[in-house]
Amino acid sequence: MYNSKVDVAELGNPILQAQAQKVVSFVGGRRESEELQHTIEQMREVMQVRNGVGIAAPQIGISQQILIIASRPNERYPEAPLIEPVVMINPVINTVSSYTEKGWEGCLSVPGIRGFVSRAVQVNVGFVDINGTPQCWELEGFLARIFLHEYDHLIGLTFLDRVDSVADLISENELAKR
Ligand code: NI
């Protein structure tokens, strides 16, 4: 069905439970190293081939603090805003809103299952971009959700750790019947 040489870590793989390492391999503090660039290319490839709206490096077996947010409307998320994919290196959460909203999430690393997950509706984040430049962004709604989902992968969590109860889990087949 899909076609990528890159292996995706799935539930049960210890890398998904590990704290990812900070990226330090900037050349002169400005340009990403070849290795970093290769990692990001692989992440982009998997995300595109698997039709994801985000991905984190541990999902392709690389325990480093790198995530991509690539929201666009698609079959799974018709309401998703269209943005240019953003690579975030060493992301940090500065502030989160106390107001939360529940929404459906899926994950390349948790095949066949979706979760109805409560997330902050607004989050202020800091990160280093692919040029090595520090950035500070305010994310809302679905973008905040994607960020928080991917950020969780960097601290060893998946959406399964975030659902209030097992009653908020559903198989994709059952969801499709609704
Ligand atoms: Ni995920």
Side-chain angles (χ1 to χ4, degrees):
M1 189 163 86
Y2 23 76
N3 213 343
S4 169
K5 298 178 296 287
V6 186
D7 191 43
V8 175
E10 293 185 355
L11 195 62
N13 188 319
I15 202 163
L16 295 176
Q17 290 148 28
Q19 165 71 45
Q21 299 298 303
K22 208 165 178 168
V23 174
V24 291
S25 58
F26 293 94
V27 176
R30 295 210 53 196
R31 210 169 305 158
E32 73 270 32
S33 69
E34 267 180 42
E35 195 188 330
L36 179 58
Q37 195 159 2
H38 183 66
T39 299
I40 291 166
E41 274 166 25
Q42 287 193 316
M43 289 168 67
R44 285 186 196 279
E45 183 193 319
V46 172
M47 200 178 57
Q48 279 165 11
V49 169
R50 304 281 294 263
N51 209 21
V53 292
I55 193 166
Q59 293 185 274
I60 61 161
I62 295 167
S63 194
Q64 291 193 335
Q65 295 177 21
I66 310 165
L67 63 82
I68 304 179
I69 292 178
S71 169
R72 65 189 187 295
N74 65 31
E75 214 175 284
R76 276 193 290 170
Y77 305 104
E79 309 292 307
L82 180 66
I83 61 157
E84 277 292 305
V86 191
V87 178
M88 298 184 174
I89 299 162
N90 300 337
V92 294
I93 296 173
N94 296 324
T95 58
V96 289
S97 64
S98 52
Y99 188 66
T100 59
E101 223 168 48
K102 276 181 127 178
W104 288 104
E105 293 183 17
C107 181
L108 300 180
S109 297
V110 187
I113 295 177
R114 305 280 293 272
F116 199 47
V117 185
S118 183
R119 299 279 189 192
V121 294
Q122 202 167 27
V123 57
N124 184 283
V125 305
F127 62 94
V128 177
D129 69 18
I130 49 172
N131 300 312
T133 308
Q135 304 254 3
C136 184
W137 284 30
E138 187 89 14
L139 301 171
E140 286 183 4
F142 192 62
L143 296 181
R145 177 174 299 280
I146 300 173
F147 174 86
L148 291 166
H149 175 116
E150 303 308 337
Y151 181 84
D152 271 351
H153 283 303
L154 307 182
I155 57 171
L157 301 175
T158 70
F159 74 83
L160 298 176
D161 296 296
R162 297 295 190 189
V163 291
D164 296 328
S165 96
V166 176
D168 286 331
L169 297 176
I170 190 169
S171 82
E172 283 176 353
N173 289 338
E174 285 296 332
L175 188 63
K177 291 182 203 167
R178 288 190 176 184

